[in-house]
């Protein structure tokens, strides 16, 4: 298992969306390019995050990165809190908020496994592609349950172990490396993003979120499932030909009892 320090070091050098390209004084154009690329590749974020549904509600984003989704909540008048374990991400997120004339005081460095908030504090908790990186994902989910208000909602995206991305990993690092017996768990942990990355089956997720109610789990085909080479993807029309259960992103939504 990767240490938390290793994970922090990886993402501090390469906050999500930056590809490691971090100017000394990032301007609004820099952030707007990150935003455009994010929503071009993942336009379905809007359907699941529902940025415009949380005006005057307390919203927590766990793993806010450079603040791209966070600013969408803030623009829609949510009482937004953004937390990330990497200081570089929070530094950039604060800059992004300031450039857009939004208050950055609720952007903080913190750990998903030990949220620095009182019980029953948030109306909505959102985390997109983050909790599969923390060493104890189950503990982070328990923390979400703790700080979410009764009847509060969550939206979490985690990686799907039985996806086309997983198949890509198997071919590249398993079969082509003469390791046909390599497990998908091992391949995600050692070859996808930071060390220790996890991916889950829907059955595992049902168990992990059993303390919540009205839990819905949806798999989504992404451009990453259609990748054929570095920065080369099949046209999006091919996504319609692939059963959704093989999509790389699994979105879990539900409510606290």
């Amino acid at each position: 298992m990767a240490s938390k320090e290793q994970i922090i070091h990886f993402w501090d050098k390469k906050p999500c969306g930056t590809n490691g390209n971090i100017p000394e004084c990032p301007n609004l154009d820099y952030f707007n390019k990150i935003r455009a690329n994010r929503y071009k590749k993942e336009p379905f974020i809007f359907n699941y995050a529902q940025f415009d549904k949380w005006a005057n509600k307390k919203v927590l984003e766990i793993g806010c990165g450079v603040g791209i989704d966070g600013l969408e909540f803030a623009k829609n008048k949510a009482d937004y809190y953004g937390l990330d374990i990497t200081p570089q991400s929070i530094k950039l997120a604060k800059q992004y908020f300031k450039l857009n004339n939004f208050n950055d005081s609720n952007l903080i460095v913190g750990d998903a496994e030990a949220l620095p908030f009182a019980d029953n504090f948030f109306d909505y908790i959102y985390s997109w592609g983050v909790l599969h990186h923390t060493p104890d994902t189950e503990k982070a989910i328990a923390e979400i349950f703790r700080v979410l208000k009764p009847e509060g909602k969550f939206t979490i995206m985690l990686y799907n172990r039985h996806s086309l991305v997983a198949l890509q990993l198997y071919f590249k690092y398993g079969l082509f490396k003469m390791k046909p017996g390599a497990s998908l768990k091992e391949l995600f942990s050692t070859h996808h993003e930071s060390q220790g990355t996890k991916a889950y089956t829907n059955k595992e997720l049902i168990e992990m979120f059993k303390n919540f109610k009205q839990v819905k789990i949806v798999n989504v085909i992404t451009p990453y499932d259609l990748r054929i080479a570095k920065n080369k993807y099949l046209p999006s029309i091919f996504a319609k030909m692939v059963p959704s259960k093989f999509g790389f992103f699994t979105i879990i939504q539900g409510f606290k009892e």
Side-chain angles (χ1 to χ4, degrees):
M1 178 184 293
S3 71
K4 202 165 288 185
E5 289 72 24
Q6 287 175 304
I7 296 165
I8 293 170
H9 178 72
F10 179 93
W11 292 108
D12 215 41
K13 290 179 63 177
K14 194 178 180 180
C16 188
T18 68
N19 294 316
N21 172 29
I22 305 173
E24 187 172 340
C25 297
N27 57 23
L28 194 55
D29 182 61
Y30 169 78
F31 290 105
N32 285 342
K33 286 179 180 176
I34 294 174
R35 181 187 185 279
N37 185 59
R38 179 176 181 80
Y39 296 141
K40 179 181 178 181
K41 288 184 176 178
E42 303 173 30
F44 40 78
I45 286 177
F46 289 90
N47 293 333
Y48 293 104
Q50 296 183 308
F51 298 120
D52 60 346
K53 301 295 185 183
W54 303 102
N56 304 313
K57 299 293 186 180
K58 288 190 181 300
V59 173
L60 170 65
E61 181 179 7
I62 300 174
C64 64
V66 302
I68 302 302
D69 291 349
L71 192 69
E72 300 304 311
F73 284 113
K75 285 177 180 177
N76 285 282
K77 304 185 185 307
D79 183 9
Y80 172 80
Y81 292 71
L83 176 141
D84 202 285
I85 202 168
T86 61
Q88 182 68 266
S89 291
I90 292 298
K91 180 181 177 181
L92 289 169
K94 283 180 173 288
Q95 176 72 354
Y96 182 45
F97 270 54
K98 286 176 181 175
L99 286 168
N100 284 279
N101 299 311
F102 278 87
N103 178 24
D104 69 340
S105 62
N106 286 342
L107 298 170
I108 62 172
V109 177
D111 188 339
E113 296 177 22
L115 295 174
F117 304 106
D119 296 358
N120 308 316
F121 191 73
F122 291 101
D123 298 286
Y124 182 56
I125 295 178
Y126 171 79
S127 184
W128 194 263
V130 174
L131 298 182
H132 40 235
H133 295 304
T134 198
D136 193 339
T137 301
E138 288 81 0
K139 187 174 182 180
I141 293 169
E143 279 290 272
I144 288 172
F145 188 89
R146 179 182 67 80
V147 304
L148 194 60
K149 291 179 181 179
E151 304 302 323
K153 184 179 180 179
F154 71 86
T155 296
I156 296 171
M157 185 274 279
L158 298 172
Y159 292 156
N160 177 14
R161 192 186 308 148
H162 295 158
S163 59
L164 293 185
V165 167
L167 186 62
Q168 295 165 17
L169 287 172
Y170 178 72
F171 277 110
K172 185 174 182 178
Y173 297 106
L175 201 59
F176 293 167
K177 295 290 185 179
M178 306 301 291
K179 298 178 180 179
S183 72
L184 293 177
K185 280 187 177 181
E186 174 191 351
L187 295 174
F188 270 104
S189 180
T190 56
H191 296 292
H192 192 81
E193 299 174 337
S194 56
Q195 286 290 305
T197 298
K198 299 180 285 291
Y200 298 95
T201 66
N202 288 10
K203 184 177 180 180
E204 289 170 339
L205 293 174
I206 290 170
E207 175 65 22
M208 288 168 65
F209 288 90
K210 66 183 179 182
N211 290 331
F212 296 88
K213 67 178 182 179
Q214 298 178 43
V215 175
K216 295 182 180 179
I217 297 174
V218 178
N219 302 112
V220 176
I221 300 294
T222 71
Y224 317 108
D225 292 295
L226 306 178
R227 185 160 33 204
I228 54 176
K230 186 176 181 180
N231 298 322
K232 292 186 178 180
Y233 305 86
L234 291 171
S236 59
I237 191 172
F238 281 87
K240 297 178 180 179
M241 304 177 187
V242 181
S244 61
K245 67 179 181 179
F246 297 121
F248 183 39
F249 287 2
T250 303
I251 293 91
I252 310 102
Q253 294 183 302
F255 297 85
K256 181 174 176 177
E257 292 280 5

